[in-house]
Amino acid sequence: MALIVQKFGGTSVGSIERIKHVATLVAKEKEKGNDVIVVVSAMSGVTSQMVDYANQVSPLLNEEALAEYDCVISSGEQITSGLLALQLQSLGFKSRSFLGWQVGIKTDKTHSKSKISDIDKKVFNKHLEEGFIPVVAGFQGVTDCNRISTMGRGGSDTSAVAIAAALKAERCDIYTDVKGVFSADPRIVPKARKYDKIGYNEAIEMTSLGAKVLQTRSVEMAIKHGVTVQVLSSFENEPGTLLVKDEEIMEKKLVTAVAHSKYEARVTLKNVNNTPGVVARIFKPLGAAGINLDIIIQNISYNGSQANVTFTVNEADLDRAVTVLNDEKEKGTFAAEEIIGTKDVAKVSIIGIGMQDSSGVAQKMFETMAENNINILAITTSEIKVSILI
Ligand code: ASP
Ligand code: MG
């Protein structure tokens, strides 16, 4: 008898009818003789609605505010975990719901993007031994201070992989509304193709560059703990995409996927006094505020005394980033003429492990943009990807 973790995303539990359907998928796995732990997202749209409510009340500029934000936005998963457990009970199974704290999902205190530090296996093991199907609210945990934390948007993927890792599950099945991992978002690019297998590192690049099929942290966790992850659709009865070691991918494509992210924001510090240490002084307070930076560009004026520093952050962090920097500027940490933020940017990336031993791939991308009269604001590359900000 194996242990399988099944995770169901927002569209899969998006209505009562769909929750009832999901219960049949859980039942099927259980009837094969496996132990099953289920992890659920909130009904689709619910978390975004909660984020919107919180934003209407407060600009969420400090940790105390973010702790309340987590209290609000974690609520959708409580509803779906209870509903699914109820439905499983009505099908005759022993099932119960668990919030993050009830199964000891401990996290650090970085509210809104907490990292899991520990999971209490005892509660799971006890209930599995008694024949229960635990249904866990994804996306949430509890801090040392007994406050509810959340793991960043898409975080229930990470909850599921973390539980699979802690309990040494045979497989973690991530059910979603697409058939697996595609060469681009199939809801936007109808001719995108589905892969049977994809390399872990490609998956990391794809997800961190905006492919929403999995949360990046869940893939990192899968690599670290050797968890077998499958991405599949809860609407079709067919195998999905398996995440495997890069070496197991036989055909190394130049471009495996095109990913995009609309949730980017750009911050520019105009005419910064370019002295040794200035960039460090600019970025230190952002790091302290838990704001992740992505693309960073510094260009210096002709005589080198002044520079423009531009970087991108997640759209949700833009206001906080600008506030933090303006505060530091006021304090005299650095001198800059102006700090400008805009959400009017997006990032498009191409990813492929074959790219590392070939040339001309980036050029093809730039030409395509040129042909379509799209201006490129910034470019970054790594061995297996090229990203542009537009
Ligand atoms: N409900 C959360 C979100 O929308 C977490 C998740 O679905 O994975 O981001
Ligand atoms: Mg998701």
Side-chain angles (χ1 to χ4, degrees):
M1 192 163 69
L3 170 65
I4 308 289
V5 173
Q6 293 182 309
K7 181 259 167 178
F8 296 96
T11 34
S12 300
V13 294
S15 65
I16 297 301
E17 194 190 331
R18 286 182 177 178
I19 289 175
K20 288 184 175 172
H21 172 67
V22 157
T24 66
L25 300 176
V26 177
K28 218 196 258 172
E29 201 59 68
K30 182 79 182 163
E31 277 156 5
K32 284 183 200 160
N34 291 323
D35 275 339
V36 183
I37 297 174
V38 184
V39 176
V40 286
S41 289
M43 287 180 169
S44 55
V46 169
T47 310
S48 298
Q49 174 73 71
M50 297 299 145
V51 168
D52 188 48
Y53 285 155
N55 283 324
Q56 285 183 46
V57 175
S58 154
L60 304 167
L61 295 177
N62 56 50
E63 277 302 296
E64 222 14 73
L66 285 171
E68 296 309 338
Y69 172 79
D70 277 353
C71 165
V72 175
I73 71 167
S74 60
S75 58
E77 277 76 6
Q78 175 162 356
I79 299 170
T80 46
S81 59
L83 287 172
L84 181 56
L86 256 182
Q87 174 62 12
L88 287 165
Q89 288 173 7
S90 32
L91 294 178
F93 293 96
K94 281 169 89 175
S95 179
R96 68 156 282 192
S97 62
F98 291 94
L99 298 180
W101 65 270
Q102 293 173 308
V103 271
I105 301 185
K106 293 273 171 57
T107 75
D108 64 16
K109 284 187 284 219
T110 331
H111 283 285
S112 84
K113 46 182 147 223
S114 301
K115 289 203 171 89
I116 299 177
S117 51
D118 196 25
I119 292 181
D120 186 359
K121 297 188 283 271
K122 286 194 299 289
V123 185
F124 281 116
N125 285 332
K126 173 174 174 285
H127 284 86
L128 290 173
E129 272 159 32
E130 291 172 9
F132 278 89
I133 302 173
V135 182
V136 185
F139 181 48
Q140 54 171 272
V142 63
T143 68
D144 281 349
C145 315
N146 247 338
R147 306 215 59 172
I148 293 169
S149 51
T150 67
M151 297 151 196
R153 297 306 304 272
S156 25
D157 297 332
T158 303
S159 310
V161 175
I163 291 169
L167 288 142
K168 304 205 166 19
E170 170 139 323
R171 209 174 60 239
C172 183
D173 283 341
I174 309 268
Y175 285 88
T176 172
D177 53 355
V178 291
K179 290 183 192 173
V181 180
F182 281 71
S183 54
D185 187 335
R187 287 164 293 205
I188 299 172
V189 186
K191 66 178 181 189
R193 44 183 285 220
K194 183 197 131 192
Y195 294 113
D196 296 333
K197 285 181 184 176
I198 178 161
Y200 278 127
N201 287 311
E202 287 179 314
I204 291 229
E205 290 284 3
M206 284 172 68
T207 55
S208 64
L209 294 169
K212 283 185 288 296
V213 64
L214 283 172
Q215 196 192 37
T216 310
R217 215 180 266 166
S218 70
V219 187
E220 288 165 357
M221 177 108 49
I223 297 180
K224 191 164 154 207
H225 299 280
V227 178
T228 304
V229 172
Q230 179 182 208
V231 177
L232 70 172
S233 166
S234 62
F235 303 95
E236 327 282 323
N237 189 14
E238 55 183 87
T241 302
L242 267 186
L243 267 53
V244 299
K245 295 199 178 96
D246 291 3
E247 304 86 84
E248 288 173 38
I249 304 283
M250 300 307 265
E251 188 201 348
K252 299 211 184 329
K253 280 182 221 49
L254 281 181
V255 177
T256 307
V258 179
H260 72 280
S261 164
K262 292 188 281 188
Y263 308 106
E264 306 287 321
R266 179 179 58 160
V267 179
T268 298
L269 293 90
K270 221 172 115 188
N271 289 336
V272 172
N273 269 13
N274 191 19
T275 52
V278 70
V279 176
R281 288 198 298 278
I282 291 172
F283 289 125
K284 190 173 172 199
L286 293 171
I291 296 170
N292 292 332
L293 310 176
D294 184 19
I295 303 174
I296 302 174
I297 303 164
Q298 176 185 334
N299 40 18
I300 52 169
S301 62
Y302 178 68
N303 66 10
S305 66
Q306 298 208 301
N308 291 333
V309 176
T310 296
F311 61 89
T312 61
V313 291
N314 194 299
E315 223 179 56
D317 287 335
L318 176 65
D319 294 344
R320 223 151 47 89
V322 171
T323 307
V324 165
L325 288 177
N326 272 318
D327 287 352
E328 292 296 325
K329 191 186 142 195
E330 293 292 298
K331 280 193 237 159
T333 311
F334 56 83
E337 192 185 311
E338 208 184 344
I339 299 166
I340 315 153
T342 171
K343 292 183 180 171
D344 258 351
V345 291
K347 187 170 61 179
V348 177
S349 311
I350 53 174
I351 301 117
I353 38 184
M355 219 182 271
Q356 49 199 343
D357 1 81
S358 69
S359 59
V361 188
Q363 181 54 25
K364 178 87 195 286
M365 183 187 202
F366 302 153
E367 276 166 12
T368 308
M369 291 298 138
E371 280 159 19
N372 289 280
N373 201 23
I374 294 167
N375 199 24
I376 299 174
L377 302 172
I379 304 166
T380 53
T381 63
S382 81
E383 277 196 311
I384 65 168
K385 70 124 203 252
V386 182
S387 295
I388 56 173
L389 192 72
I390 56 174

